[in-house]
Amino acid sequence: MITANRSDIGRIRLVNEDQAWVGQQDGTIAIAIVADGMGGHQAGDVASQLAVQTFREALAGRELVIDDGEAAHHVVRAIHQANAVVYDMAAQNEQYHNMGTTVVAAVADKQRAVIAHIGDSRAYKIKNRDITQLTNDHTLVNELAKTGQISAEEAANHPRRNVLTRALGTDKEVEVDVQTLEWAPGETLLLCSDGLSNMVSEQQMVDTVQAGGLNLDAKAEQLVELALRAGGDDNITVVLLYNDADTSKEQEVRIT
């Protein structure tokens, strides 16, 4: 498994409230998470940091087996633990009142991947020239679009398109969307905050990920650069997981 992880503050924001982390367990399973914090006075920054840190700690030392559903169980449990930590911090500190964060996470071996998310940070799978959005945005506008109240074009340009219907840390209990899917050598998983997905088209994502002559780090850098060129209105974070059949090319970062 080859991985890349890039984040940028963007051109407008004063603080990067995005957090991301990628690691590998025993050289065979990749683990990744992206969190996009929200809340005033840098509370979003605190929320996303706490979420990623708690998620990492919850999975550290766990033996993750994807094909029997165990990994999905542990991922959801780790996100629920992160929700409790962020919620408790907000309840105990007035300056963090109502802080929260989105989260999208992946645990993948060479054959299958578990994807879990809350909010509007996304996961995509790229295969050849095809791209599939794996996550469903938990936003007011997406709910309106799904029920036919507004069109897809209206949703893309709606002034309230960033209003979340579900977030980590804002409520004592939260529902996590989780799925397990098959993926194969040569395919790529892309996790990102909306600072990327709102500014970079799916076609641009495919073109960049499938571009020849660039390693995975350079492709992640290029995706961030595309979002910056489009305006960089928000923090931008992207994680790439490439299913490479050649294990000699793996770049491993172990959980600590």
Side-chain angles (χ1 to χ4, degrees):
M1 202 84 64
I2 303 176
T3 68
N5 173 16
R6 291 292 182 274
S7 187
D8 193 280
I9 194 172
R11 300 193 185 280
I12 306 297
R13 300 297 179 90
L14 299 178
V15 176
N16 190 348
E17 295 184 327
D18 287 0
Q19 290 286 324
W21 173 77
V22 184
Q24 291 199 31
Q25 184 182 84
D26 299 326
T28 60
I29 292 181
I31 306 172
I33 182 171
V34 171
D36 180 357
M38 60 185 191
H41 305 293
Q42 299 187 16
D45 183 27
V46 173
S48 60
Q49 286 186 24
L50 283 174
V52 171
Q53 178 182 345
T54 304
F55 179 84
R56 287 183 61 176
E57 292 173 352
L59 291 183
R62 294 283 186 184
E63 185 176 346
L64 301 174
V65 181
I66 294 178
D67 59 1
D68 66 357
E70 182 182 358
H73 169 77
H74 286 311
V75 169
V76 171
R77 185 176 179 181
I79 292 174
H80 281 152
Q81 289 178 358
N83 184 77
V85 169
V86 174
Y87 180 81
D88 288 347
M89 177 69 79
Q92 295 167 14
N93 296 271
E94 184 177 350
Q95 69 268 35
Y96 298 148
H97 180 64
N98 282 336
M99 75 174 177
T101 182
T102 70
V103 63
V104 60
V107 174
D109 62 17
K110 293 288 188 180
Q111 292 81 37
R112 297 176 185 85
V114 173
I115 305 293
H117 88 290
I118 303 170
D120 62 353
S121 291
R122 293 180 178 178
Y124 297 88
K125 184 173 79 165
I126 298 172
K127 177 181 179 181
N128 300 322
R129 302 299 303 177
D130 295 326
I131 183 169
T132 302
Q133 182 178 328
L134 301 173
T135 51
N136 182 39
D137 293 347
H138 299 140
T139 61
L140 173 63
V141 166
N142 191 44
E143 291 299 321
L144 294 174
K146 286 195 299 182
T147 56
Q149 297 180 61
I150 61 174
S151 67
E153 183 178 354
E154 288 172 327
N157 298 288
H158 199 282
R160 301 188 68 192
R161 64 183 178 274
N162 293 324
V163 175
L164 299 177
T165 57
R166 199 189 307 177
L168 184 150
T170 56
D171 295 289
K172 191 171 184 179
E173 304 291 338
V174 67
E175 181 182 357
V176 182
D177 286 1
V178 62
Q179 61 182 297
T180 301
L181 60 129
E182 294 185 354
W183 74 318
E187 297 178 357
T188 301
L189 293 176
L190 187 160
L191 278 57
C192 66
S193 62
D194 65 346
L196 184 83
S197 57
N198 282 345
M199 307 301 290
V200 178
S201 70
E202 291 187 357
Q203 186 61 57
Q204 288 175 306
M205 293 180 190
V206 171
D207 290 344
T208 302
V209 168
Q210 300 295 62
L214 297 176
N215 63 25
L216 207 64
D217 285 328
K219 292 175 180 180
E221 292 275 11
Q222 180 63 25
L223 286 168
V224 170
E225 182 61 29
L226 287 170
L228 290 171
R229 291 177 191 170
D233 296 343
D234 200 352
N235 307 144
I236 308 152
T237 299
V238 57
V239 168
L240 297 175
L241 306 178
Y242 178 65
N243 192 341
D244 188 352
D246 184 356
T247 56
S248 67
K249 295 180 180 179
E250 288 178 357
Q251 298 174 359
E252 181 176 337
V253 182
R254 293 187 179 274
I255 300 176
T256 57

